[in-house]
Amino acid sequence: MAASGNNARSSLIVQLSPSRSAKLSFTVRLLLALIWLAWAGVLLFSQGTVSQPNYFHYVFFGLAVVFLGYVVLQNTSVFGVQSYIEVTRQYIVQKFGVFRTKHIIPIPDIKEVHISPLALRVTLLDESKVYLDLKQVRKKRDLEKIRNEIRDLAAEYNFLVTEGAGHSA
């Protein structure tokens, strides 16, 4: 999705897919959460435990609900876009989910950007480096939009843009 306009606040927002970098896919985590929830429900509402409730069953059920909520929050846009890269005329923002911090790079502080196929390596004026991972961008068209926006900003703010397949140290 992209928002555009003629004002200085126009921006490019690209949604990321956090499940692509996970060790277990979204489907597997969702299935595990549902099995956990079903198991906890059986323990909680089975005939043998109704007469003598065990508080650990309530805790187990509550944790299953929390895990299911976490999996849904991190991997779907049910509650809005949670993982994204945003490129505006003032800054670049990368956010990897609800419970993670945003990485903000002010455009005037950029000295150089190296564009590789699945990453941006940004060198700031103070010589610190920031690595923006693009592996989670869902569409090739969105990858190209980000690259083109960086090239346009380089022309406007006079920072160096290099491109290549590999990384240089």
Side-chain angles (χ1 to χ4, degrees):
M1 82 179 118
S4 62
N6 293 331
N7 62 7
R9 294 281 301 162
S10 67
S11 66
L12 168 68
I13 299 175
V14 175
Q15 185 172 358
L16 301 177
S17 176
S19 62
R20 286 190 183 169
S21 66
K23 291 184 187 339
L24 295 175
S25 71
F26 168 66
T27 308
V28 171
R29 285 185 284 162
L30 184 63
L31 185 63
L32 286 173
L34 292 174
I35 290 171
W36 185 5
L37 194 61
W39 184 23
V42 167
L43 287 175
L44 191 60
F45 301 114
S46 65
Q47 288 292 345
T49 59
V50 172
S51 59
Q52 343 169 335
N54 189 342
Y55 295 106
F56 288 117
H57 293 166
Y58 290 106
V59 171
F60 193 63
F61 185 78
L63 289 174
V65 169
V66 168
F67 183 69
L68 179 64
Y70 173 78
V71 169
V72 169
L73 268 175
Q74 282 296 105
N75 295 286
T76 65
S77 57
V78 171
F79 302 103
V81 177
Q82 304 298 330
S83 299
Y84 59 89
I85 291 179
E86 179 181 12
V87 181
T88 70
R89 296 285 173 215
Q90 292 84 23
Y91 52 83
I92 300 171
V93 175
Q94 187 172 34
K95 176 100 163 118
F96 280 121
V98 180
F99 306 108
R100 299 193 178 135
T101 59
K102 290 181 182 179
H103 300 283
I104 302 172
I105 303 168
I107 298 295
D109 293 350
I110 295 176
K111 176 181 176 184
E112 177 183 358
V113 176
H114 178 77
I115 301 173
S116 62
L118 294 174
L120 297 175
R121 192 178 65 239
V122 180
T123 305
L124 301 176
L125 292 174
D126 64 359
E127 295 300 323
S128 61
K129 294 186 188 299
V130 180
Y131 180 79
L132 299 176
D133 187 9
L134 301 178
K135 290 177 191 164
Q136 297 175 1
V137 174
R138 294 178 181 203
K139 301 174 186 166
K140 289 186 186 237
R141 186 181 77 227
D142 288 339
L143 271 172
E144 197 55 39
K145 283 182 184 179
I146 290 172
R147 291 181 188 126
N148 288 336
E149 190 70 24
I150 295 296
R151 290 180 196 112
D152 293 345
L153 289 171
E156 184 177 333
Y157 286 93
N158 297 321
F159 58 82
L160 179 64
V161 173
T162 58
E163 297 189 38
H167 301 290
S168 61

